[in-house]
C-alpha cells in the first residue's frame, strides 16, 4: 500500500496505520499520521487535510521555526512540543560528515534532552479521540524519532519501524527542492540532506535500548496508547 497521502505542498505526509504487530494485530488506519511542516497548508491542501478528520496536531519544531515558517491553520487542537534542545544546521554540514554516525548522536541527544516533551507528545497521542498528526520541518528526524517510539510501543517489529523511517527517501528530492527554493536556488552543502538511511534508525534503536524501558524512564504507560491505536482482533 502507498502510505504517502497526496498533497501539493506537503511531501512527507504518511499514515502510520496498517502495520502488523508482533501479536498478529494491526495498527489502525486513518488514526495516526506523520508529516513535514503543516505551515505549508493552504488552498486545496487544506481542504484535503480537513477530509482526514484530524483533531490534534503536535508540532515538534522549535518555537522560532513556527514563528518563521508558520503553523497549521486554526481548527485542530494544537501542541507545540519542541523535543530537540540543541539546534544544528544539516544543510551546512560538510560532505565528509557521515549521516548515520552524526545523526545517531543527534537522535540520542533528543531522547536524552527532550524527555518532558516526548512524554507529553506520547500522552497527547494516547488521549486523543480524533485522528492525530505529528510533524517537524521535513518530517524526517524529530518526527522519525516519535514515530519509531510510537510504533515500537504499539508492538510493531523493528524491521518495519526501520522501513517506515526510510520511506522519507521517497520525498527527499522534493524536500531538497523546497530548501533550494527558500535559499535562492542554492543547494545544501551536505549531500545527505533530506535522506533517511535505514541504518540510522537501526543504530538509533540499538543505542536507545528497549523502547519499553525508555517509556518507563519517561514515566509513560503505553497501555492506553495500544488500546486506542491497535485493532482488537488479530489479522487473518
Amino acid at each position: 500500500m502507498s502510505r504517502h497521502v497526496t498533497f501539493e505542498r506537503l511531501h512527507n505526509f504518511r499514515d502510520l496505520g496498517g502495520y502488523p504487530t508482533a501479536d498478529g494485530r494491526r495498527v489502525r488506519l486513518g488514526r495516526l499520521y506523520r508529516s513535514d511542516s503543516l505551515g505549508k497548508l493552504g488552498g486545496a491542501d487544506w481542504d484535503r487535510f480537513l477530509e482526514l478528520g484530524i483533531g490534534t496536531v503536535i508540532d515538534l519544531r522549535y518555537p522560532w521555526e513556527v514563528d518563521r515558517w508558520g503553523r497549521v491553520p486554526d481548527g485542530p487542537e494544537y501542541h507545540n512540543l519542541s523535543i530537540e534542545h540543541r539546534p544544528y544546521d544539516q544543510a551546512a554540514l560538510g560532505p565528509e560528515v557521515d549521516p548515520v554516525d552524526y545523526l545517531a548522536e543527534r537522535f540520542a541527544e533528543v531522547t536524552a534532552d527532550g524527555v518532558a516533551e516526548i512524554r507529553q507528545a506520547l500522552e497527547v497521542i494516547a488521549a486523543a479521540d480524533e485522528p492525530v498528526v505529528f510533524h517537524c520541518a521535513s518530517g524526517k528526524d524529530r518526527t522519525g524519532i516519535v514515530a519509531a517510539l510510537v510504533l515500537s510501543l504499539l508492538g510493531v517489529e523493528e524491521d518495519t519501524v526501520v522501513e517506515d523511517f526510510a520511506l522519507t527517501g521517497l520525498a527527499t528530492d522534493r524536500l531538497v527542492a523546497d530548501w533550494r527554493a527558500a535559499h535562492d536556488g542554492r543547494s545544501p552543502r551536505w549531500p545527505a540532506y533530506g535522506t533517511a538511511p535505514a541504518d540510522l534508525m537501526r543504530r538509533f534503536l540499538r543505542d536507545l535500548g528497549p523502547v519499553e524501558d525508555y517509556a518507563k524512564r519517561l514515566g509513560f504507560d503505553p497501555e492506553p496508547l495500544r488500546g486506542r491505536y491497535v485493532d482488537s482482533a488479530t489479522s487473518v
Side-chain angles (χ1 to χ4, degrees), residues 8 17 50 59 73 88 95 107 112 122 126 141 164 180 186 194 216 226 231-232 236:
E8 180 66 28
L50 292 176
D59 189 337
Y88 61 99
F107 283 22
L122 294 175
D141 298 323
D164 178 78
R180 296 185 70 229
R186 293 183 288 113
K216 289 178 182 177
R226 293 169 184 147
D231 287 331
S232 57
V236 178

Side-chain angles (χ1 to χ4, degrees), residues 89-105:
D89 185 356
Q90 289 192 26
L93 297 174
E96 74 283 356
V97 176
D98 179 81
V100 173
D101 290 342
Y102 182 82
L103 290 176
E105 292 178 0

Side-chain angles (χ1 to χ4, degrees), residues 3-235:
R3 298 197 162 274
H4 281 82
V5 180
T6 301
F7 289 92
E8 180 66 28
R9 289 289 297 119
L10 301 181
H11 311 311
N12 205 13
F13 194 106
R14 312 205 303 263
D15 193 336
L16 287 173
Y19 285 128
T21 62
D23 62 1
R25 297 185 291 167
R26 287 192 178 272
V27 180
R28 291 178 179 140
L29 284 163
R31 294 284 295 125
L32 188 60
Y33 299 92
R34 54 177 293 174
S35 181
D36 46 328
S37 173
L38 298 183
K40 297 182 286 186
L41 277 174
D45 276 356
W46 177 237
D47 294 336
R48 177 73 181 97
F49 180 84
L50 292 176
E51 290 173 359
L52 299 175
I54 291 169
T56 300
V57 172
I58 301 172
D59 189 337
L60 303 172
R61 297 174 299 164
Y62 291 97
W64 63 262
E65 291 179 279
V66 178
D67 291 342
R68 181 174 182 183
W69 301 110
R71 48 153 284 181
V72 66
D74 289 338
E77 179 181 306
Y78 177 77
H79 302 265
N80 183 204
L81 302 172
S82 179
I83 65 172
E84 184 181 281
H85 292 205
R86 307 183 218 184
Y88 61 99
D89 185 356
Q90 289 192 26
L93 297 174
E96 74 283 356
V97 176
D98 179 81
V100 173
D101 290 342
Y102 182 82
L103 290 176
E105 292 178 0
R106 306 290 78 73
F107 283 22
E109 289 174 354
V110 170
T111 52
D113 298 343
V115 290
E117 293 85 359
I118 291 172
R119 180 180 63 247
Q120 189 174 352
L122 294 175
E123 289 172 346
V124 169
I125 293 169
D129 292 324
E130 296 178 296
V132 177
V133 60
F134 55 91
H135 76 91
C136 55
S138 296
K140 179 173 80 76
D141 298 323
R142 290 166 286 187
T143 297
I145 290 170
V146 173
L149 295 175
V150 169
L151 290 176
S152 297
L153 291 172
L154 293 178
V156 176
E157 300 279 10
E158 180 177 311
D159 285 348
T160 303
V161 173
V162 171
E163 290 170 4
D164 178 78
F165 177 75
L167 283 176
T168 286
L170 299 175
T172 295
D173 288 347
R174 285 170 292 169
L175 294 171
V176 171
D178 273 1
W179 191 95
R180 296 185 70 229
H183 294 83
D184 301 320
R186 293 183 288 113
S187 294
R189 184 165 179 260
W190 197 33
Y193 181 85
T195 63
D199 285 346
L200 167 57
M201 181 50 63
R202 290 194 188 280
R203 168 82 171 271
F204 165 65
L205 291 172
R206 184 198 73 193
D207 292 349
L208 181 68
V211 175
E212 292 279 351
D213 290 350
Y214 181 69
K216 289 178 182 177
R217 297 202 299 273
L218 294 178
F220 175 73
D221 176 7
E223 285 306 316
L225 182 76
R226 293 169 184 147
R228 193 169 294 278
Y229 293 99
V230 178
D231 287 331
S232 57
T234 57
S235 302

